[in-house]
Amino acid sequence: MAAPALEDLIQLLARLPGLGPRSARRVALHLLKQRETSMQRLAAALAKAAREVRRCSACGNLDGQEPCWICADPERDGSLICVVEEVDDLWALERSGLFKGRYHVLGGTLSALDGLGPEELGIDRLLGRLERERIAEVILATSATVDGQTTAHYIAERLAASSPVISRLAHGVPIGGELNYLDDGTLGAALKARRPIQRGPVEPA
Ligand SMILES: [Zn+2]
């Protein structure tokens, strides 16, 4: 069998999302072959990230500074808060370059199974921000899954008294998306969220 150090490495790699025991062995071999160029640099990057990257106490984003670069940026529109499930949702919105407000990262969805309640998701922290900051709109951008929708409902109810506008991301057909490639959920949501583009001669009853 392999040396204990190698077994440990493979077992740890196999626990990473998207990797199983087979791909973990492949990654371990690749790293050992590229000891200087990959393995030692990766080890240094892991240690540095573990030491320096922290959750922003205001929004839950991950960054090396506190508050995070988005909360600290005076150019961002502080009257808009976009509520997302995970930091990679925030990254996706940032890549689009379309959103110039700030965020609240939940770190998951409400789930009795995973022991995630309102406290873990920082809902009170979000309510506190609504009291302290001048916020005009909260955009709920949780995913279109059952858990995502349930969480959005819960947050909307909790915020009802303190937020002027609560909006929800529209879900639908992606630009350039062909209908026959869409899953039923996306197609159903797109159909439900349809908007009239022209009124017909006969008004719908
Ligand atoms: Zn932040």
Side-chain angles (χ1 to χ4, degrees):
M1 281 298 340
L6 185 50
E7 276 300 327
D8 275 357
L9 175 63
I10 292 169
Q11 275 191 20
L12 285 170
L13 287 171
R15 280 190 224 154
L16 298 177
L19 293 187
R22 228 181 111 168
S23 32
R25 282 195 291 274
R26 232 176 53 218
V27 170
L29 282 180
H30 168 85
L31 289 171
L32 285 162
K33 272 189 202 159
Q34 322 243 326
R35 208 175 286 254
E36 272 82 38
T37 50
S38 284
M39 196 172 205
Q40 284 172 1
R41 284 176 66 192
L42 178 64
L46 284 172
K48 192 170 158 57
R51 218 172 33 239
E52 294 177 7
V53 179
R54 292 276 175 272
R55 275 199 181 281
C56 171
S57 63
C59 76
N61 186 18
L62 291 171
D63 199 7
Q65 63 177 54
E66 166 72 23
C68 74
W69 66 277
I70 293 174
C71 288
D73 183 354
E75 299 289 301
R76 306 288 297 214
D77 183 353
S79 72
L80 277 176
I81 289 189
C82 185
V83 178
V84 292
E85 282 174 27
E86 297 288 358
V87 175
D88 57 359
D89 301 323
L90 178 157
W91 291 338
L93 280 159
E94 284 303 297
R95 273 199 307 275
S96 78
L98 296 171
F99 182 66
K100 295 291 173 215
R102 298 212 170 100
Y103 294 92
H104 177 84
V105 183
L106 296 166
T109 49
L110 285 178
S111 164
L113 219 61
D114 298 328
L116 286 180
E119 204 176 308
E120 284 73 26
L121 302 185
I123 310 283
D124 287 336
R125 195 156 42 82
L126 179 60
L127 282 164
R129 284 177 77 183
L130 286 171
E131 276 166 26
R132 286 190 310 273
E133 301 166 29
R134 280 209 291 179
I135 290 160
E137 181 177 354
V138 175
I139 303 161
L140 300 174
T142 54
S143 56
T145 58
V146 173
D147 282 350
Q149 305 278 18
T150 309
T151 307
H153 267 288
Y154 176 83
I155 296 173
E157 262 171 36
R158 290 284 307 271
L159 300 190
S162 44
S163 175
V165 177
I166 300 169
S167 58
R168 185 95 178 86
L169 276 197
H171 296 284
V173 182
I175 294 167
E178 294 179 40
L179 288 195
N180 55 350
Y181 285 116
L182 294 181
D183 61 278
D184 293 351
T186 306
L187 201 51
L191 194 59
K192 237 165 117 182
R194 71 186 186 278
R195 279 177 314 187
I197 54 171
Q198 197 186 315
R199 287 258 167 249
V202 181
E203 287 292 314

